[in-house]
Amino acid sequence: MISAIRVFDTTLRDGEQSPGASMSVNEKLVIAAQLSKLGVDIIEAGFPIASKGDFEAVKLIAKKVRKPIICGLARCNKADIDAARDALKPAKRKRIHVFIATSDVHLKNKLRMSKEELKKKVYESVKYAKSFVDDIEFSPEDASRTSVEYMIEVAKTAIAAGATTINVPDTVGYAEPDEFAERIRHLREEIPDRITISVHCHNDLGMAVANSLAGVMAGATQIECCVNGLGERAGNASLEEVVMNLKTRKDFFRAQTRINTMEIFKTSKLVSSLTGIAVQRNKAIVGMNAFAHEAGIHQHGVITNKKTYEIMKPEDVGWEGENLVIGKHSGKHAVMEIISRFGFKVSEKQLKEIMGKIKDLADKKKDIHDDDIQAIALDVLNKLSEKEQRIKLSEISVLSGNRITPSATVGLVIDGKKKLGSAAGVGPVDAASKAILSITGPEVKLREYSLKAITGGTDALADVTIKLEDKNKNVFYSQAVNEDVIMASVQALIKGVNKTLTAKSVRRK
Ligand code: KIV
Ligand code: ZN
């Protein structure tokens, strides 16, 4: 018999907890729509109590994405459960995911609760959640460092209060496959068959996928995972890896998912572009090298028969290793084709702007790759409206060299009034940033700055992402691309300061 495995995607919740992966409400909606196309069974859309942005994202996804079950996370308290209930209101199919830590170390140091008190809290909270929603998942956080006996007692308490899925999280990525499987086997023996067992594994020791699959072998029928293996710290089990293991080794696992694997590559690209977290080239399934053969002997083998060195067909995951090379003579159809591959939708006006930027770039740089186009498209899509651009750059000049201290003079137009600022810095980007912040004042602070060259070569597009903080500790992210590193930095900074002024923030948990 082949078992049906449910894929519970938590890219928008645990995945967003990856340092630097925060997404706007609209970006989350775009990803949720793609996850639905990919065929995931459940989308954990966020932790509604955590922030206004999380609440709005869960609500919007619940309203617009109708195929998968939409899930919201809640701790064991009424305020969290109320927030999840309210955010999930528009959903066609909904789930509340209630959790509390059960390991000794958490009980003693974090919760300061006895084991009996915790069980009472679990019972009351699950019962409360159940009074609003029928589909309730319960997680004993840090399960893999909880004694199996106590974990099962707590699971039974949650089931008595109405939980329909028991999720077993390896919260700190501590488990090894055999012992994790043993835990799941034991749980399966102790709880009714109608209850789904789920696994949620973190990758601190690089075991997240192996532990999840060991869980399936032991009776779990739901896997919690993230696209590209995103997630808190070292990440969660990677969706594409668990899915392709089950598909490629169906003979071994005797299990299958409902995932349309041809959508995997596109989903990976979309998530990586919207989170700004690049996929390493040699990442299994979705890395640029995943299906590329370099050694002559391998090339000869695959030319004769692909099966010599390929256990999966690249087209089965929608992999596109070869980039379409775009130059100044390319038309908008080729550009449109690349843009839609990334899952972006652009208007005619935006396409015109993208084409203009590509042609400008093509005048300066020989080859333009998919990644350049993606960055330019994202830059145009994330452009602030005229009203949101209270600050505009009017001029900039930068001096740098090996015998002088780098310095910059910047002219900004703020609400129609021109202001000039100058500063010295450790380098030209630092000097330009300080010159801008000398005009905009001390209320906005630059917290993080990251620079990425989109493609190789000294003529690569510079992609700058920054994190700003205003005086109320609200956090704002912004990004800009330009062929000039200094201009990309200045544009990202001005965009970010404009965001702080119009307070379009999503506060990090
Ligand atoms: O890792 C974890 O324990 C979690 C829970 C909220 C399920 O993410
Ligand atoms: Zn987790």
Side-chain angles (χ1 to χ4, degrees):
M1 199 188 74
I2 305 287
S3 328
I5 305 297
R6 291 178 136 204
V7 174
F8 175 116
D9 181 278
T10 183
T11 308
L12 300 176
R13 199 278 296 168
D14 218 327
E16 207 210 9
Q17 288 172 216
S18 306
S22 107
M23 293 164 257
S24 70
V25 172
N26 280 325
E27 287 169 338
K28 286 186 183 176
L29 179 63
V30 171
I31 292 178
Q34 178 58 29
L35 289 171
S36 172
K37 219 163 148 200
L38 179 67
V40 307
D41 299 282
I42 302 117
I43 294 177
E44 187 164 52
F47 189 4
I49 194 85
S51 69
K52 202 165 160 274
D54 257 40
F55 183 91
E56 289 306 326
V58 176
K59 194 165 164 198
L60 189 64
I61 291 166
K63 188 168 162 205
K64 303 258 181 188
V65 182
R66 311 300 281 173
K67 216 165 67 174
I69 294 171
I70 308 300
C71 176
L73 184 67
R75 286 166 299 190
C76 276
N77 66 60
K78 284 192 172 173
D80 277 40
I81 295 167
D82 286 346
R85 172 203 61 201
D86 293 347
L88 289 169
K89 209 161 261 167
K92 192 163 154 215
R93 297 195 297 151
K94 55 186 93 166
R95 171 180 296 187
I96 298 182
H97 178 184
V98 182
F99 78 102
I100 191 165
T102 50
S103 61
D104 285 346
V105 64
H106 279 253
L107 274 169
K108 217 176 285 166
N109 300 296
K110 188 176 87 178
L111 300 170
R112 295 174 205 279
M113 241 183 226
S114 74
K115 290 189 167 177
E116 280 311 307
E117 282 167 341
L118 182 130
K119 281 203 295 182
K120 190 163 171 275
K121 199 161 184 59
V122 167
Y123 187 84
E124 286 167 0
S125 306
V126 171
K127 192 109 191 140
Y128 185 63
K130 188 80 177 180
S131 68
F132 306 117
V133 174
D134 210 45
D135 185 348
I136 303 293
E137 173 166 328
F138 172 75
S139 288
E141 189 192 1
D142 205 14
S144 53
R145 293 193 299 167
T146 304
S147 80
V148 178
E149 291 69 30
Y150 183 59
M151 181 195 85
I152 291 174
E153 267 180 54
V154 178
K156 285 182 174 171
T157 307
I159 293 167
T164 42
T165 297
I166 298 294
N167 178 43
V168 182
D170 180 21
T171 305
V172 289
Y174 181 72
E176 296 294 339
D178 283 353
E179 63 174 359
F180 193 66
E182 197 43 47
R183 179 177 290 273
I184 300 297
R185 209 167 283 125
H186 200 144
L187 178 66
R188 185 69 289 168
E189 281 163 8
E190 292 285 336
I191 62 174
D193 288 348
R194 67 183 161 80
I195 304 295
T196 301
I197 296 184
S198 167
V199 286
H200 176 113
C201 299
H202 280 267
N203 207 28
D204 299 66
L205 292 171
M207 288 296 185
V209 170
N211 284 333
S212 305
L213 295 170
V216 165
M217 290 300 276
T221 51
Q222 176 178 293
I223 299 185
E224 302 199 353
C225 46
C226 291
V227 175
N228 297 340
L230 288 183
E232 186 83 41
R233 303 181 312 278
N236 287 68
S238 129
L239 179 146
E240 56 279 6
E241 291 177 28
V242 290
V243 166
M244 288 314 287
N245 266 279
L246 293 174
K247 183 177 166 95
T248 310
R249 296 306 311 276
K250 192 170 164 187
D251 60 319
F252 180 77
F253 290 106
R254 317 284 307 150
Q256 66 188 9
T257 69
R258 289 191 325 105
I259 295 293
N260 173 6
T261 60
M262 309 237 300
E263 291 289 326
I264 283 179
F265 190 71
K266 187 172 166 187
T267 312
S268 160
K269 278 263 183 194
L270 180 68
V271 168
S272 126
S273 73
L274 294 184
T275 57
I277 298 189
V279 171
Q280 77 200 52
R281 288 192 77 90
N282 61 335
K283 162 91 174 60
I285 319 294
V286 290
M288 286 314 282
N289 291 354
F291 296 93
H293 302 277
E294 165 76 26
I297 193 165
H298 286 207
Q299 287 173 340
H300 183 221
V302 289
I303 290 166
T304 317
N305 184 336
K306 286 191 169 163
K307 284 191 176 160
T308 50
Y309 288 101
E310 278 183 5
I311 57 163
M312 296 167 273
K313 292 195 202 118
E315 54 274 25
D316 281 355
V317 297
W319 190 80
E320 289 151 7
E322 276 289 312
N323 286 350
L324 243 179
V325 178
I326 297 285
K328 59 177 143 186
H329 303 297
S330 307
K332 65 178 183 180
H333 294 292
V335 172
M336 234 359 218
E337 148 76 20
I338 295 169
I339 291 174
S340 57
R341 244 193 252 157
F342 293 116
F344 299 151
K345 284 201 175 68
V346 295
S347 65
E348 267 301 315
K349 193 166 161 233
Q350 286 167 327
L351 180 61
K352 211 162 153 207
E353 190 172 348
I354 292 166
M355 289 302 295
K357 286 187 179 230
I358 290 173
K359 303 248 168 194
D360 281 348
L361 187 62
D363 277 330
K364 299 170 193 153
K365 181 176 182 312
K366 203 166 89 254
D367 292 330
I368 296 177
H369 298 280
D370 291 14
D371 292 348
D372 293 316
I373 294 169
Q374 182 187 23
I376 290 172
L378 213 54
D379 197 38
V380 169
L381 282 169
N382 283 333
K383 199 172 147 186
L384 299 181
S385 69
E386 199 52 39
K387 217 169 106 205
E388 289 166 320
Q389 292 182 51
R390 288 183 48 194
I391 300 182
K392 287 186 176 159
L393 178 70
S394 89
E395 63 197 76
I396 175 164
S397 64
V398 173
L399 269 175
S400 185
N402 64 343
R403 286 172 186 265
I404 52 167
T405 303
S407 62
T409 300
V410 173
L412 297 181
V413 178
I414 305 181
D415 292 332
K417 283 201 194 100
K418 189 162 172 189
K419 293 194 173 168
L420 273 182
S422 300
V426 291
V429 170
D430 186 45
S433 306
K434 284 182 174 145
I436 292 172
L437 294 174
S438 77
I439 306 172
T440 56
E443 297 205 334
V444 178
K445 294 205 163 39
L446 180 60
R447 289 295 182 211
E448 276 172 28
Y449 171 94
S450 86
L451 167 67
K452 189 172 81 186
I454 300 282
T455 51
T458 47
D459 59 354
L461 263 189
D463 182 344
V464 171
T465 305
I466 58 160
K467 179 177 160 185
L468 294 175
E469 197 177 272
D470 71 11
K471 65 175 191 304
N472 299 320
K473 299 246 178 292
N474 287 314
V475 165
F476 301 81
Y477 287 86
S478 84
Q479 185 213 15
V481 290
N482 197 288
E483 57 277 14
D484 180 329
V485 176
I486 297 168
M487 286 309 294
S489 309
V490 164
Q491 283 163 357
L493 193 54
I494 292 175
K495 199 192 262 185
V497 176
N498 272 315
K499 279 189 177 184
T500 68
L501 293 179
T502 43
K504 277 184 65 180
S505 76
V506 175
R507 195 159 177 186
R508 293 273 299 149
K509 297 179 271 280

